[in-house]
Amino acid sequence: MSTIGFFDSGLGGLSVLEVALSQLPGHDYVYLADTANNPYGEKDGPWIKARGLLIAEHLSRAHGCEVIVVACNTATAEAIQDIRAHFPALRIIGIEPGVKPASLQTQTKRIGILATKATLESKKFNALLASMPADFEFFKIPGTGLVELIEEPTRNDQLIRAWLMSNLPPTRECAYDTLVLGCTHYPFIKDLIQSHLGPSIALIDTGQAVVNHLARHLHPQQQGFQTSPQQGSLQILCNIDPNLFLSKAQKLLQRTPLSNVEVQLLAL
Ligand code: DGL
């Protein structure tokens, strides 16, 4: 049994945590939502780096996490190298926009990437694009303002559709045939994005790939996912209004009952 920390600026990392809880039960999970600083996507690199280091230290020192999943594309892009360098004894698993899986899926070699401004501008993400074969074409689409809509206490489909209409216009349909959801918040509105773009556009997200990576680390000998006889736990930490966070989280995590979950106010 391991203690696994997850962190994100808010609700987004729950899209990855939910997969882990269902496929890798029997571990102790600590989910840290840095809600006081949400969204990360408009912040600068040095700030995100410093914040990532502070959070990793807290998860390790105060909660005994041996594994930390940076369940945020923005924090992975800006901070993961430094977190790994500062905490060599910890296993740090990150998430990055699924450019590689998208390259296997696309028929036209034209791929859209919807991600935060910070992710799209980061060195790490641009190095990933530069590593791809030259005949692929990438369309970077900043998701500015979208995370805030997903963080609302109740999902407002009309506002999200209006955002999609102005930022992901259907005219782009002919530009790419595959769209990467490069932010962990976006899987929560996958249905709206798919119906906006139409069924011919493939949507790629990498939550399952991260959980596969986590599974290989936790159970190196095991083939596939197996249920564990041990009872795991889930603890949630956030730095603004824990009750509000819990009610928003419960609306998004329909498969995971949170009624017995403790949410602690984090002074970080
Ligand atoms: N969910 C995060 C990501 O994957 C952060 C979004 C934000 O805070 O801007 O990038």
Side-chain angles (χ1 to χ4, degrees):
M1 190 183 231
S2 302
T3 304
I4 305 156
F6 274 63
F7 82 87
D8 180 51
S9 65
L11 297 163
L14 294 173
S15 66
V16 187
L17 178 73
E18 185 164 46
V19 183
L21 288 171
S22 75
Q23 297 179 358
L24 298 168
H27 295 283
D28 292 328
Y29 289 92
V30 181
Y31 183 87
L32 188 155
D34 194 9
T35 41
N37 293 299
N38 179 278
Y40 279 1
E42 302 296 308
K43 300 210 159 39
D44 62 32
W47 186 93
I48 297 167
K49 213 172 269 183
R51 197 70 195 154
L53 286 171
L54 205 66
I55 290 172
E57 179 171 35
H58 180 78
L59 287 171
S60 150
R61 289 244 176 104
H63 296 276
C65 297
E66 304 115 43
V67 183
I68 293 177
V69 177
V70 184
C72 172
N73 290 264
T74 310
T76 299
E78 290 293 356
I80 201 163
Q81 266 175 334
D82 284 59
I83 298 174
R84 285 190 175 129
H86 276 76
F87 303 102
L90 302 180
R91 181 59 175 245
I92 312 291
I93 296 173
I95 185 164
E96 65 182 8
V99 169
K100 287 178 188 159
S103 72
L104 302 174
Q105 171 83 39
T106 176
Q107 305 289 313
T108 60
K109 299 194 172 181
R110 293 157 76 88
I111 297 170
I113 298 139
L114 179 61
T116 66
K117 181 169 165 278
T119 297
L120 295 176
E121 288 175 358
S122 68
K123 252 196 205 158
K124 189 171 184 346
F125 175 69
N126 285 289
L128 172 66
L129 289 192
S131 73
M132 298 303 292
D135 55 342
F136 280 94
E137 203 176 338
F138 296 103
F139 300 84
K140 294 183 186 175
I141 306 153
T144 308
L146 193 51
V147 162
E148 289 91 323
L149 292 177
I150 299 166
E151 288 278 334
E152 282 294 315
T154 303
R155 185 172 112 165
N156 185 329
D157 289 6
Q158 218 180 330
L159 285 182
I160 295 171
R161 280 202 196 95
W163 188 97
L164 295 172
M165 196 53 88
S166 4
N167 295 278
L168 209 60
T171 48
R172 278 187 182 269
E173 272 179 19
C174 44
Y176 50 81
D177 69 345
T178 304
L179 179 71
V180 174
L181 304 183
C183 166
T184 52
H185 280 74
Y186 304 157
F188 289 125
I189 55 159
K190 200 171 179 175
D191 56 335
L192 292 179
I193 297 175
Q194 191 76 73
S195 74
H196 173 73
L197 291 176
S200 63
I201 306 292
L203 301 182
I204 305 286
D205 77 82
T206 40
Q208 180 65 61
V210 170
V211 174
N212 293 345
H213 188 162
L214 180 61
R216 284 194 298 274
H217 170 71
L218 296 174
H219 310 289
Q221 316 294 355
Q222 202 169 287
Q223 295 285 314
F225 297 106
Q226 279 161 32
T227 49
S228 154
Q230 286 158 314
Q231 185 80 31
S233 67
L234 170 62
Q235 191 183 351
I236 299 179
L237 316 165
C238 69
N239 38 18
I240 288 186
D241 203 339
N243 290 333
L244 176 64
F245 186 80
L246 189 62
S247 94
K248 294 198 288 183
Q250 186 60 90
K251 282 185 197 153
L252 297 177
L253 299 186
Q254 285 164 2
R255 290 182 285 143
T256 312
L258 298 178
S259 38
N260 294 322
V261 172
E262 194 192 327
V263 185
Q264 262 182 28
L265 188 63
L266 171 77
L268 194 71

